[in-house]
Amino acid sequence: MSDLQTQMKHAVATAAVEKIEDGMVVGLGSGSTAAMMIQELGAKLSVGKLKDVVGITTSFQGEVMAAELGIPLLTLNAIERIDLAIDGADEVDPSLNLIKGGGACHVQEKLVASKADVFVVVVDSTKIVDRLNLDFLLPVEVLPGAWRQVKGCLSELGGNAELRMATRKAGPVITDQGNLVLDVSFLGGIEDPELLESQLNNIPGVLENGLFVNLADEVLVGEIVDEVASVRHLTSN
Ligand code: 5RP
């Protein structure tokens, strides 16, 4: 990650934490930008700048960080509502539809985002695209015993799927739920994200896909203006 990209991510992470108020239940996203947000939240809680905030994590990454930073956690089953969820994204289109799952956490991320009253996305400017999936492959989480069958179904929908392989471990990436991930590209990108999201989730053996459609309320975009990191706010209509 370039130094400028780190600065952009840090700027949006800090801006997102400013939206957190005392007593809130907050969805804690995954990935490097969300990690900066969790770090900042932990720092504010530790010095009393924020009080009584409870986190709902979207991955083991968040659980580990929250434990180290002393952020109290609850589980989805233990709460009635989430006030605010903050998470990163891999791509954001002009309608604020997203591709997520670069960290293979999109199953829990979508659960948390869809339960939140407000879902705020934090990205650097490299994530803004005209059309989803021209550059970033769409992650689809599948049951281990079904990955080849699902790959065949994806091919019938026009998708070319690759099993995501691990680094520093032999074999495929195993998700926090114990499943596998197929990364899919559609020639020409994704024309209708809403239709594709439901078509993919209708394939037997698919747990969830990384299309987040009509979920983001606001996207904070980190930019470098006059060599300084600043934040642009995009809101859904
Ligand atoms: C993990 C995600 C991440 O939020 C997404 O990959 C963005 O990550 P980063 O902030 O590191 O660029 O969806 O599943």
Side-chain angles (χ1 to χ4, degrees):
M1 203 188 305
S2 74
D3 189 43
L4 288 181
Q5 199 175 17
T6 305
Q7 286 178 39
M8 291 189 275
K9 288 183 179 203
H10 197 260
V12 288
T14 305
V17 171
E18 279 166 17
K19 294 178 178 290
I20 302 175
E21 296 171 11
D22 290 350
M24 275 188 168
V25 176
V26 179
L28 306 176
S30 305
S32 59
T33 321
M36 290 181 198
M37 176 276 294
I38 296 171
Q39 195 82 41
E40 178 76 11
L41 171 60
K44 277 192 156 180
L45 286 169
S46 72
V47 295
K49 283 190 181 165
L50 274 173
K51 293 186 181 63
D52 304 324
V53 173
V54 175
I56 308 289
T57 58
T58 55
S59 61
F60 284 141
Q61 178 197 27
E63 280 185 36
V64 170
M65 288 193 73
E68 284 175 353
L69 294 164
I71 301 173
L73 296 179
L74 282 173
T75 60
L76 270 180
N77 283 327
I79 48 120
E80 295 305 321
R81 53 192 287 270
I82 296 173
D83 296 292
L84 169 66
I86 303 169
D87 204 347
D90 300 296
E91 287 189 339
V92 180
D93 80 3
S95 303
L96 306 193
N97 295 322
L98 318 172
I99 286 184
K100 286 187 51 54
C105 309
H106 50 287
V107 171
Q108 292 185 56
E109 289 174 334
K110 199 182 282 190
L111 281 166
V112 168
S114 58
K115 191 166 177 71
D117 293 347
V118 178
F119 177 39
V120 173
V121 178
V122 282
V123 292
D124 63 79
S125 57
T126 64
K127 309 290 186 70
I128 305 298
V129 297
D130 290 331
R131 181 181 270 219
L132 298 175
N133 194 232
L134 287 173
D135 290 320
F136 198 88
L137 302 180
L138 175 67
V140 176
E141 180 158 335
V142 297
L143 284 175
W147 74 268
R148 288 200 65 218
Q149 181 173 329
V150 172
K151 185 176 157 97
C153 296
L154 290 167
S155 175
E156 282 169 25
L157 284 175
N160 183 31
E162 299 165 12
L163 191 58
R164 191 182 297 184
M165 302 309 281
T167 54
R168 304 192 64 204
K169 169 198 171 285
V173 165
I174 312 290
T175 69
D176 289 355
Q177 291 70 238
N179 297 311
L180 305 180
V181 175
L182 290 169
D183 286 310
V184 193
S185 69
F186 291 88
L187 198 63
I190 295 172
E191 198 179 328
D192 186 340
E194 188 166 9
L195 175 65
L196 186 64
E197 183 188 19
S198 61
Q199 284 176 323
L200 295 176
N201 282 357
N202 224 10
I203 298 172
V206 168
L207 269 297
E208 188 54 89
N209 68 84
L211 283 169
F212 282 47
V213 177
N214 298 327
L215 279 178
D217 295 295
E218 185 174 10
V219 178
L220 306 185
V221 186
E223 296 176 325
I224 301 293
V225 179
D226 295 335
E227 296 178 31
V228 176
S230 66
V231 178
R232 185 157 53 103
H233 297 247
L234 306 176
T235 47
S236 60
N237 299 319

